[in-house]
Structures are given as structure tokens and as C-alpha cells.
């Protein structure tokens, strides 16, 4: 299992509750999680219905199933969102909490002892 961050991965889901996401296929102009991330790999994702959101690490356990491995932040007090009925967008992204700012010397000095 590898952490895969692929460009232009976006699907929809109508999943309800707090279980794994069942993916409904790639949106026009995008690729599916299966094609971009690959089964048994992990990726950072966002799921949103335009109001509520969830950002986390997911594992693609089957071609159309994204498991919620770890929720980093969400509109539900940073817990898994209990989704109601309706369509949601779900896509690969790189969360701000995992970013390393370019040119930031503070972190580098800690790593290299400077």
C-alpha cells in the first residue's frame, strides 16, 4: 500500500452515514480513484456537499470503495461526517496540514540542526 497523490481525480458519491464511500464514477474531464490512485493504495481526499466537508486519508479498498482511514478535519468537529441523502463531490487533494511551505528555513533548521 502506497500513498498516491494523483492529479484530476474527482468522482461523486451518494453515500449516507459514516461508512466507507461508494464512488459513482469519474466526473467529466477527470479520472476515477481507481485509475488515479489504484486499489489498495491511500490518498488524501475531500468530500463535500457544498455545505459540509470532510478532509482525510482514505484507502481505496476496491475499485469503487474509498474507506475513511483517518479524518483530519471536518464540519463535524473533525469527526467523520454523518452524510444525509444527496450527491457529494469527492476528490484527491493535498491537505494544508500536510504541506511543507517552500523556502521555510525554520523546519529545515530543525531537520538539519541549523
Amino acid at each position: 500500500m502506497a500513498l498516491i497523490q494523483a492529479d484530476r481525480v474527482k468522482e461523486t458519491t451518494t453515500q449516507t452515514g459514516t461508512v466507507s464511500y461508494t464512488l459513482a464514477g469519474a466526473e467529466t474531464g477527470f479520472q476515477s480513484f481507481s485509475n488515479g490512485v489504484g486499489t489498495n493504495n491511500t490518498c488524501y481526499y475531500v468530500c463535500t456537499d457544498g455545505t459540509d466537508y470532510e478532509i482525510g486519508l482514505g484507502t481505496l479498498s476496491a475499485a469503487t470503495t474509498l474507506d475513511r482511514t483517518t479524518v483530519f478535519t471536518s464540519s463535524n468537529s473533525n469527526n467523520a461526517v454523518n452524510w444525509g441523502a444527496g450527491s457529494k463531490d469527492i476528490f484527491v487533494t493535498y491537505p494544508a496540514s500536510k504541506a511543507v511551505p517552500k523556502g521555510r528555513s525554520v523546519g529545515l533548521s530543525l531537520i538539519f540542526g541549523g
Side-chain angles (χ1 to χ4, degrees):
M1 174 172 29
L3 176 63
I4 305 294
Q5 288 305 109
D7 293 328
R8 303 198 53 75
V9 173
K10 183 179 179 185
E11 299 197 39
T12 59
T13 182
T14 56
Q15 191 63 54
T16 59
T18 59
V19 296
S20 298
Y21 293 107
T22 299
L23 305 170
E27 297 244 335
T28 302
F30 293 87
Q31 61 179 328
S32 66
F33 276 78
S34 181
N35 287 339
V37 175
T39 305
N40 297 321
N41 291 320
T42 60
C43 65
Y44 297 125
Y45 72 90
V46 169
C47 186
T48 183
D49 63 2
T51 302
D52 289 311
Y53 66 91
E54 181 179 295
I55 302 168
L57 176 71
T59 303
L60 194 66
S61 61
T64 61
T65 304
L66 185 69
D67 298 331
R68 296 166 162 177
T69 306
T70 305
V71 174
F72 300 134
T73 186
S74 77
S75 57
N76 184 31
S77 300
N78 301 332
N79 297 300
V81 173
N82 187 5
W83 297 108
S87 184
K88 298 117 191 126
D89 291 323
I90 187 164
F91 52 93
V92 170
T93 191
Y94 201 82
S97 65
K98 301 299 179 186
V100 178
K102 184 176 179 182
R104 181 147 182 173
S105 61
V106 174
L108 294 176
S109 65
L110 292 174
I111 294 170
F112 296 110

